[in-house]
Amino acid sequence: MTFTKSEYKHFYSIMKNLFLFTFFFFQITYSQVCDPKKYNNLGAIKFKSIQVEAKPWAKGKDIPWQFFETCTIKEIEGFEPNAKKFVNTAYGSDISQKFNATGFFRTEKQGNRWWVIDPFGYRNIQVVINSLRPGKSEKNEMEFGTRFGNSKKWINATADSLKSYGFNGSGSWSEDQLIQEYNTTAKLPLSFTPNLNFMSGYGKERGGTVQLPGNTGYPNQCIFVFDAEFEIYCEKRAQEIAKYSTDKNLFGYFSDNEMPLGLENLEGYLKLENKLDQGYLFASKWLEQKGITIDKITDKDKAEFAGIVANKYFSIVSKAIKKYDPNHMYLGSRLHGGAKKVDSIIAAAGKYCDIIAINYYGGWSPDAVMIDMWDRVGKKPFIVTEFYTKGMDSGLQNTAGAGFSVRTQKDRGLAYQNFCLSLLASKSCVGWHYFRYQDNDPTSKKVDPSNTDANKGLVNNSYQYYKPLMKFMKELNDNKYNLVSFLESESDKIKAIEPIDIIFAIGQSNMSGRAPIDDYSVIPNVYLLNADGNFEPASQPLNKYSNIRKELKIQGVTAARNCMVSLQKSLDKPLGLIVNAQGGSSIKLWYKPGKANYDGALKRAKEAQKQGKIKAIIWNQGSSDNKDAKEDNFVAYKANLKEMVESFRRDLNEPELPFICGELSVRPEFDEFNKEVIQKVKEYIPFSDFITAEGTKLLEDNIHFDAESANKLGDRYAEKVLPFLLKKQ
């Protein structure tokens, strides 16, 4: 038997799945393509994963089909779907509790979770459809006439259908006026979200823009934000929204779609042909003030300038919107591509937007590293305003647009649940807009190049819903509040084992962990203190909930992991873990109350004490202080370390709390520190001990332990902690 090339690839992928190979021999190099091993928001949730075959999308690349680990509602351990637990009425809100009602949508942070509060004062997760409008092709119009006859009948029937599937409004590019008319008589109105197109509208009026797939293009992909006329245009354009200012059903405004904000902006402005362009003049002057030339521009310079561009844009448009409609939220410009990865752009959006809107493609699950950055840098909630998958059983070729391709409509539903479950697990996400209502029609003329031939819709070009897809969408949409409640509550198992014995892991980067993680699975019978002060099944990275840590993306394998694994095996009982480390931190931030790291770590330790007993501190720190500490033969450092331990023991009311410190890496410059500070710790701190770093190896940075060494150190910590634990029992 012989195979064609395409048949062979398909056969090979099926065989690999049958033999349960999770990872493939090829490497996907495009940074946004999902790695099934990559950390996501479901790391601590126990579920039986299923495999869904999909073809990833990446601009300009042809990536083979592969299998992706997928989580669905029915596979989550301990979760029982119960849509009736939370009664959803207008806008699909949870009416079990009522909060301050302003008559308009707003956001509110309650504890560690952001919520939308609807006009009536109820918690809301925004779940709506983009492009809620009939298609314009000849086929669309013919089917529309046959099925509905007129727009009023279409919106009435469509609104009823969407609500039955758990969608409660419309996103960008929808029939806003028709929806407003519908809402005047509807018992349960639809929310709607206009896109004002400030920059693209100004660009068309000014000249110089072009239509690109999915968005508007600009010269050198540089928006006209430095034009003095842009602010005048926004002021004039914003006057038109005054008519919406009292409409309670309006969710908020987008100002534009997918503008080219990013690291390329600085060089783009500097390379504009028109040397009188206001953008060129601004960039040139900025560079001159920095005292550098274009050939000396660094990535830091690029990021700083990208933030300036974003800040200029968001400040102008938000001012105009809020002037003429102070009642409604501003949702930004639907950031996409590289823009959503740049800290300075996210910071600018967070400064001026009520919610940061993100169009998200390229990931099977939302990237928890990016979500963490949006939360920490933006300091505002976010909403995913575009995502979709395309089914190969739709009869369309799926040659246009972004998004993953999957085999069937059922697979589209599975992908929807997997993606949205990860959003619900994020406390900074307040909803999503699915793209879109109707499929692209290949026969349609004069459409955006990204909307020519793809199964993106809930309905096909004959207005028929894809029932397998809708089944899974409805299941998740109807259970969204029940899921949030489940994801935020302590499991019955954890409550049943209180009080638990807890290990407190603190220090700098080698306690945070820097070695790449290759196992994100839950650590059996070990529970990690999370950001809410509850214990959840522990999974790497273990320093993810630290209130003093650096970026999530650099947190890696810490010695705390194997310490807990080894202790659990020896004790055969559930154990709790607090990890609160910060890379590069000096003892000066740790040694007494009033110091940032001491106070931050103590706060979390006291939260943990509500549910158990702290049994030991494990510590690795000192490389930041080694050079200065040598000047007085380590006298001051040892005094500070002793004061820190005494303070923790006093403030935690554990006067004999064991303290185990670890040697710094085996580098010549640390020999004295290890000998004088670590190895002699029992001489100046009672109830203490140390572990050696002998036989360990470092990563290529020659600073941090590799994964094998971190695990070896973890075993050594456990060996030293265990006698103290056994002695106490």
Side-chain angles (χ1 to χ4, degrees), residues 350-420:
K351 184 177 179 180
Y352 295 102
C353 300
D354 296 291
I355 301 174
I356 302 173
I358 305 286
N359 289 357
Y360 199 108
Y361 295 108
W364 188 249
S365 296
D367 184 348
V369 172
M370 273 198 290
I371 289 177
D372 177 73
M373 186 270 281
W374 302 336
D375 183 40
R376 293 168 70 87
V377 175
K379 297 180 173 58
K380 291 286 179 66
F382 76 91
I383 187 167
V384 171
T385 43
E386 271 194 36
F387 71 105
Y388 62 86
T389 53
K390 303 172 285 190
M392 299 306 296
D393 61 348
S394 63
L396 297 170
Q397 296 300 308
N398 293 324
T399 56
F404 283 70
S405 294
V406 292
R407 298 295 183 187
T408 67
Q409 298 304 311
K410 177 182 177 182
D411 291 340
R412 289 182 76 198
L414 296 174
Y416 179 84
Q417 287 203 2
N418 178 78
F419 193 91
C420 296

Side-chain angles (χ1 to χ4, degrees), residues 417-682:
Q417 287 203 2
N418 178 78
F419 193 91
C420 296
L421 280 169
S422 199
L423 292 180
L424 289 173
S426 167
K427 294 178 174 59
S428 55
C429 180
V430 292
W432 55 87
H433 294 192
Y434 191 80
F435 191 84
R436 49 186 248 155
Y437 167 67
Q438 190 168 37
D439 281 344
N440 300 152
D441 185 350
T443 68
S444 188
K445 301 174 182 178
K446 295 182 180 181
V447 296
D448 182 295
S450 67
N451 287 322
T452 56
D453 181 11
N455 169 222
K456 303 172 184 175
L458 307 186
V459 301
N460 62 19
N461 284 295
S462 297
Y463 296 90
Q464 297 170 322
Y465 284 91
Y466 291 103
K467 293 299 179 66
L469 166 66
M470 303 314 297
K471 174 184 176 182
F472 286 98
M473 285 185 156
K474 176 178 172 57
E475 182 179 44
L476 183 128
N477 294 347
D478 286 351
N479 281 282
K480 56 185 179 291
Y481 300 112
N482 195 20
L483 282 161
V484 169
S485 177
F486 173 82
L487 295 170
E488 292 195 342
S489 65
E490 298 173 89
S491 73
D492 293 337
K493 184 176 182 181
I494 297 176
K495 289 183 177 180
I497 61 177
E498 293 177 358
I500 57 178
D501 291 346
I502 303 164
I503 303 301
F504 188 19
I506 51 178
Q508 59 183 107
S509 55
N510 272 321
M511 187 57 78
S512 304
R514 289 294 185 262
I517 297 170
D518 63 0
D519 183 1
Y520 292 90
S521 60
V522 169
I523 304 171
N525 233 6
V526 174
Y527 299 91
L528 181 68
L529 188 75
N530 63 26
D532 293 329
N534 297 322
F535 281 99
E536 68 178 31
S539 65
Q540 299 190 90
L542 295 175
N543 197 46
K544 58 193 167 194
Y545 296 124
S546 168
N547 56 15
I548 55 175
R549 67 166 167 82
K550 294 184 176 180
E551 297 171 285
L552 181 61
K553 65 184 178 183
I554 64 174
Q555 310 304 316
V557 179
T558 166
R561 182 190 183 279
N562 261 34
C563 176
M564 302 308 295
V565 171
S566 296
L567 286 175
Q568 203 284 322
K569 288 180 180 177
S570 298
L571 299 172
D572 192 25
K573 59 184 289 188
L575 295 172
L577 173 65
I578 317 160
V579 186
N580 218 73
Q582 181 192 48
S585 57
S586 166
I587 190 67
K588 295 175 183 177
L589 294 173
W590 284 99
Y591 78 101
K592 66 179 182 179
K595 298 299 181 179
N597 289 16
Y598 180 90
D599 291 348
L602 178 66
K603 178 182 178 181
R604 299 197 68 226
K606 287 193 169 187
E607 290 173 345
Q609 282 184 314
K610 297 174 184 177
Q611 302 171 67
K613 185 176 179 64
I614 297 176
K615 292 288 190 172
I617 296 174
I618 61 174
W619 166 264
N620 191 289
Q621 190 276 338
S623 59
S624 295
D625 300 292
N626 176 57
K627 185 177 180 180
D628 292 340
K630 285 182 180 180
E631 293 182 1
D632 68 348
N633 197 30
F634 307 103
V635 172
Y637 183 92
K638 289 195 288 185
N640 288 338
L641 187 63
K642 180 180 180 181
E643 183 174 358
M644 182 193 78
V645 175
E646 289 175 345
S647 297
F648 274 126
R649 286 172 173 170
R650 180 189 64 247
D651 292 341
L652 294 173
N653 196 27
E654 293 287 350
E656 298 181 4
L657 183 64
F659 176 74
I660 314 298
C661 57
E663 286 188 337
L664 306 185
S665 57
V666 284
R667 292 163 55 186
E669 61 265 40
F670 293 147
D671 286 348
E672 288 184 73
F673 189 97
N674 287 336
K675 181 179 179 180
E676 297 298 323
V677 176
I678 306 300
Q679 295 175 17
K680 294 182 179 180
V681 67
K682 289 191 283 187

Side-chain angles (χ1 to χ4, degrees), residues 199 223-228 230-231 234 259 261 269 278 282 305-319 330 344 348-349 351-352:
M199 182 57 69
I223 60 176
F224 309 124
V225 74
F226 297 107
D227 287 12
F230 175 62
E231 188 165 3
C234 291
M259 292 189 305
L261 300 170
Y269 282 105
Q278 294 173 72
F282 182 93
F305 191 82
I308 291 172
V309 176
N311 195 83
K312 181 80 170 174
Y313 171 80
F314 288 123
S315 64
I316 290 172
V317 297
S318 64
K319 178 182 177 181
Y330 172 44
S344 59
K351 184 177 179 180
Y352 295 102

Side-chain angles (χ1 to χ4, degrees), residues 49-60:
S49 68
I50 59 177
Q51 300 291 313
V52 173
E53 191 178 21
K55 180 179 175 62
W57 172 86
K59 189 174 182 179

Side-chain angles (χ1 to χ4, degrees), residues 333-345:
S333 62
R334 296 160 58 90
L335 299 171
H336 81 304
K340 66 179 182 287
K341 302 177 185 178
V342 181
D343 292 29
S344 59
I345 294 174

Side-chain angles (χ1 to χ4, degrees), residues 89-95 97-106 117-124 187-189 248-249:
T89 56
Y91 316 114
S93 298
D94 162 22
I95 65 169
Q97 288 180 273
K98 190 169 185 177
F99 303 90
N100 180 43
T102 64
F104 303 98
F105 287 99
R106 62 182 180 87
I117 304 298
D118 77 11
F120 302 105
Y122 298 115
R123 286 173 171 171
N124 177 268
K187 183 178 180 181
L188 297 177
K248 68 178 184 296
N249 301 311

